[in-house]
């Protein structure tokens, strides 16, 4: 009996051991049966109403997989959109233009009209450059003493040369650049050339005429300052003189105080008083009845090309603290002071007379000066004689601050629109001239 029980216990122990081994094998060592394959297509219109557990193996990570699938699809669509935008950008940018700024007026073009930036920002740097896309055109701008003929990369077939033709020495330097551009045309390295020219104050610009394409030259377009007689709005266009960028006059951003604060002076004039000029007459009129005490006046007998930090700050303060800026004629009616006054919301009072020389009487404009500004509806005060000034200043005294604020807003808004209009006209003119015609 005892032996039978012993054998039975031994059998049970052996059976338990075998079962344990089988269980271990099943859990840890036996190959898993592959899950049933999922249907190849799901309805993407929304989740299924019901799925029986017996039809598909349950997946505890299915929610995360769906989220990842959605995120992946969104990334794909975003990348596709980016590629399409880049392709569209390339297709829309049909023209590349490099501007060579070899006169200070180029900074007015780039920084004030195009609102472009330059790197480095240091104005004394040997090389400065910037770029931007506008319209169908990608513009790049280079300037500085290191930009010399033959020693920089010509990166486009279309070039705008910004030159100074105001005096003989400047003209000699300008013609060197024109000859360099002509060589590039002849060797087929560039195809089109436009010139932005700081012209002579008496409009004696005969030297540029042989370079114009209409006269057998290679210059497609000419943008020139002052009321040049050859302006025709076809290949010769009048260009604004702008601010004195050679004296580092800044891009001025209007502020709340600039628009709304009362100003300490009715008018200002800081400048050179030439012998036997209308400026002498202006000074005499201002001294009558103490009018000069109402205005910020700082006259000098000799023109100074460079400003000290102190004199430049005084000039800016005078513009900011005066309701009117007096603009008597110099060698030409148009002067930097007009545009600088607009920058600070100080209304220009302009002596509206034609100066001696060859300006005026173009095929488009009348002989009166400042035709570009007048055509654009400049909200200035134009007077023919400074004897009109006392009555003007009396009227100014009676104006309320509210009226002056509204006038400042109108002036600053006009100047902003004027620069935007000049920018668009410049772009359209280049594109119409340089791009191939789409007509059959």
């Amino acid at each position: 009996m005892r032996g039978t029980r012993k054998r039975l216990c031994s059998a049970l122990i052996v059976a338990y051991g075998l079962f344990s081994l089988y269980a271990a094998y099943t859990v840890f060592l036996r190959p898993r049966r592959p899950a049933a394959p999922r249907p190849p297509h799901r309805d993407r219109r929304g989740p299924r109403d019901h799925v029986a557990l017996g039809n598909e193996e349950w997946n505890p990570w299915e929610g995360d997989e769906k989220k990842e699938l959605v995120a992946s699809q969104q990334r794909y669509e975003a990348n596709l959109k980016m590629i399409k935008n880049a392709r569209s950008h390339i297709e829309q940018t049909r023209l590349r233009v490099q501007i060579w700024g070899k006169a200070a007026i180029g900074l007015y073009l780039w920084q004030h009209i195009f609102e472009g930036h330059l790197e480095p920002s240091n104005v004394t740097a040997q090389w400065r450059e910037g770029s931007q896309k506008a319209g169908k055109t990608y513009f790049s701008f280079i300037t500085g003493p290191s930009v010399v003929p033959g020693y920089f990369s010509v990166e486009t077939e279309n070039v705008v040369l910004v030159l100074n033709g105001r005096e003989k020495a400047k003209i000699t330097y300008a013609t060197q650049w024109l000859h360099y551009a002509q060589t590039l045309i002849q060797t087929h390295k560039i195809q089109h050339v436009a010139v932005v020219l700081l012209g002579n104050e008496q409009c004696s610009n005969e030297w540029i005429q042989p370079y114009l394409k209409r006269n057998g030259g290679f210059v497609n377009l000419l943008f020139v300052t002052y009321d040049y007689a050859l302006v025709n709005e076809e290949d010769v266009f009048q260009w604004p003189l702008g601010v004195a960028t050679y004296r580092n006059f800044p891009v001025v951003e209007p502020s709340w105080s600039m628009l709304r604060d009362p100003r300490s002076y009715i008018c200002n004039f800081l400048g050179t008083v030439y012998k036997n000029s209308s400026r002498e007459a202006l000074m005499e009129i201002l001294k009558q009845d103490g009018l000069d005490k109402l205005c910020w006046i700082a006259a000098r007998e000799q023109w100074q090309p460079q400003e000290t930090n102190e004199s430049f700050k005084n000039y800016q303060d005078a513009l900011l603290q005066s309701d009117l800026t007096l603009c008597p004629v110099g060698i030409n009616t148009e002067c930097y002071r007009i545009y600088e006054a607009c920058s600070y919301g100080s209304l220009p009072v302009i002596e509206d007379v034609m100066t001696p020389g060859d300006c005026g009487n173009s095929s488009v404009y009348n002989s009166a000066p400042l035709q570009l500004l007048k055509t654009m509806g400049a909200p200035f005060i134009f007077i023919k004689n400074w004897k009109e000034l006392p009555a003007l200043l009396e009227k100014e005294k009676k104006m309320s601050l509210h009226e002056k604020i509204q006038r400042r807003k109108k002036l600053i808004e006009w100047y902003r629109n004027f620069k935007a209009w000049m920018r668009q006209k410049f772009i359209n003119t280049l594109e119409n001239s340089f791009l191939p015609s789409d007509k059959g």
Side-chain angles (χ1 to χ4, degrees):
M1 187 71 177
R2 185 178 297 175
T4 303
R5 289 180 180 177
K6 193 173 183 179
R7 285 195 296 270
L8 180 60
C9 289
S10 299
L12 289 173
I13 292 171
V14 170
Y16 178 78
L18 292 173
F19 178 78
S20 299
L21 290 172
Y22 176 78
Y25 168 77
T26 302
V27 174
F28 298 104
L29 301 177
R30 184 179 179 181
R32 293 181 181 273
R33 184 175 58 185
R38 295 185 181 183
H41 175 73
R42 292 186 182 182
D43 188 352
R44 295 195 180 192
R45 291 172 294 180
R48 289 167 294 178
D49 295 333
H50 174 73
V51 177
L53 288 177
N55 293 340
E56 184 176 5
E57 184 177 346
W58 176 69
N59 183 356
W61 297 281
E62 185 174 8
D64 293 338
E65 289 178 353
K66 287 181 179 179
K67 291 180 181 178
E68 177 59 29
L69 181 63
V70 171
S72 177
Q73 181 69 19
Q74 290 175 344
R75 287 195 297 269
Y76 169 77
E77 291 175 355
N79 289 336
L80 186 62
K81 184 178 180 180
M82 183 176 66
I83 292 171
K84 287 181 179 179
N85 289 340
R87 185 178 300 165
S88 174
H89 177 84
I90 293 171
E91 290 172 353
Q92 292 175 7
T93 307
R94 298 174 56 194
L95 190 68
R96 296 181 68 88
V97 174
Q98 192 173 34
I99 304 174
W100 303 345
K102 295 312 299 178
I105 195 174
L107 295 177
Y108 184 71
L109 165 65
W110 186 252
Q111 295 182 310
H112 293 253
I113 291 182
F114 268 75
E115 297 181 346
H117 298 285
L118 289 175
E119 293 295 339
S121 58
N122 183 3
V123 297
T124 63
Q126 293 293 301
W127 177 285
R128 304 176 74 197
E129 60 184 320
S131 63
Q132 67 170 265
K133 181 185 179 293
K136 301 174 184 177
T137 306
Y138 177 83
F139 288 93
S140 59
F141 182 91
I142 57 174
T143 189
S146 292
V147 181
V148 295
Y151 287 89
F152 65 93
S153 175
V154 180
E155 299 175 350
T156 177
E157 295 179 340
N158 308 288
V159 168
V160 175
L161 257 174
V162 186
L163 302 173
N164 187 338
R166 178 165 283 185
E167 57 192 38
K168 188 174 180 179
K170 301 295 185 182
I171 293 172
T172 300
Y173 184 64
T175 55
Q176 293 175 5
W177 277 98
L178 287 167
H179 291 158
Y180 174 60
Q182 186 174 31
T183 300
L184 295 177
I185 287 279
Q186 293 169 346
T187 55
H188 306 289
K189 293 182 178 179
I190 61 175
Q191 291 185 356
H192 304 108
V193 174
V195 171
V196 177
L197 179 66
L198 176 61
N200 179 269
E201 289 174 281
Q202 296 179 328
C203 296
S204 300
N205 302 314
E206 298 84 2
W207 65 274
I208 192 70
Q209 294 183 27
Y211 296 98
L212 301 182
K213 203 158 191 176
R214 65 156 91 167
N215 297 325
F218 62 92
V219 174
N220 301 78
L221 303 168
L222 175 63
F223 301 86
V224 60
T225 58
Y226 305 117
D227 298 275
Y228 188 36
L230 292 186
V231 169
N232 57 14
E233 294 294 317
E234 295 176 3
D235 64 337
V236 181
F237 304 85
Q238 188 170 354
W239 191 252
L241 179 62
V243 302
T245 51
Y246 72 93
R247 291 201 303 257
N248 299 322
F249 192 90
V251 177
V252 179
E253 295 295 336
S255 64
W256 190 93
S257 60
M258 183 191 298
L259 289 171
R260 298 182 177 277
D261 283 357
R263 301 193 174 188
S264 304
Y265 301 92
I266 291 181
C267 68
N268 77 79
F269 174 71
L270 285 72
T272 308
V273 178
Y274 303 104
K275 291 290 184 182
N276 303 317
S277 69
S278 64
R279 297 187 179 195
E280 281 190 329
L282 171 61
M283 291 298 105
E284 290 298 322
I285 291 170
L286 283 171
K287 290 176 183 177
Q288 296 175 9
D289 302 322
L291 294 177
D292 56 338
K293 294 181 175 59
L294 302 175
C295 301
W296 187 325
I297 305 298
R300 61 194 179 204
E301 295 182 358
Q302 189 173 3
W303 179 72
Q304 297 174 4
Q306 299 297 330
E307 298 276 1
T308 65
N309 290 336
E310 182 180 1
S311 65
F312 187 62
K313 185 180 185 305
N314 285 340
Y315 177 59
Q316 289 179 295
D317 288 344
L319 296 175
L320 185 59
Q321 293 299 323
S322 303
D323 291 307
L324 306 175
T325 293
L326 307 182
C327 303
V329 298
I331 301 175
N332 192 283
T333 309
E334 188 174 8
C335 61
Y336 298 116
R337 185 180 289 106
I338 295 172
Y339 301 90
E340 293 164 351
C342 290
S343 299
Y344 282 97
S346 182
L347 189 70
V349 179
I350 298 174
E351 186 179 4
D352 188 19
V353 296
M354 183 66 76
T355 51
D358 299 324
C359 297
N361 297 317
S362 76
S363 60
V364 175
Y365 298 139
N366 299 322
S367 59
L370 306 176
Q371 285 299 310
L372 176 61
L373 296 173
K374 290 176 180 176
T375 300
M376 289 300 297
F380 305 158
I381 297 175
F382 295 95
I383 63 176
K384 293 295 183 181
N385 193 302
W386 288 114
K387 292 179 181 179
E388 303 171 40
L389 184 61
L392 177 64
L393 297 184
E394 279 299 318
K395 183 180 178 181
E396 193 72 17
K397 290 180 189 177
K398 299 175 183 178
M399 284 187 68
S400 68
L401 177 59
H402 175 74
E403 290 174 316
K404 292 179 179 179
I405 289 172
Q406 295 307 310
R407 185 174 66 185
R408 289 176 206 162
K409 289 181 178 179
K410 180 181 178 181
L411 175 62
I412 290 175
E413 180 68 10
W414 174 87
Y415 186 48
R416 185 184 68 82
N417 291 335
F418 171 75
K419 290 186 289 184
W421 185 85
M422 291 305 305
R423 175 179 181 266
Q424 195 58 50
K425 180 180 180 181
F426 184 78
I427 294 168
N428 292 345
T429 303
L430 292 182
E431 291 179 349
N432 291 337
S433 178
F434 291 177
L435 282 174
S437 175
D438 294 331
K439 297 179 181 180

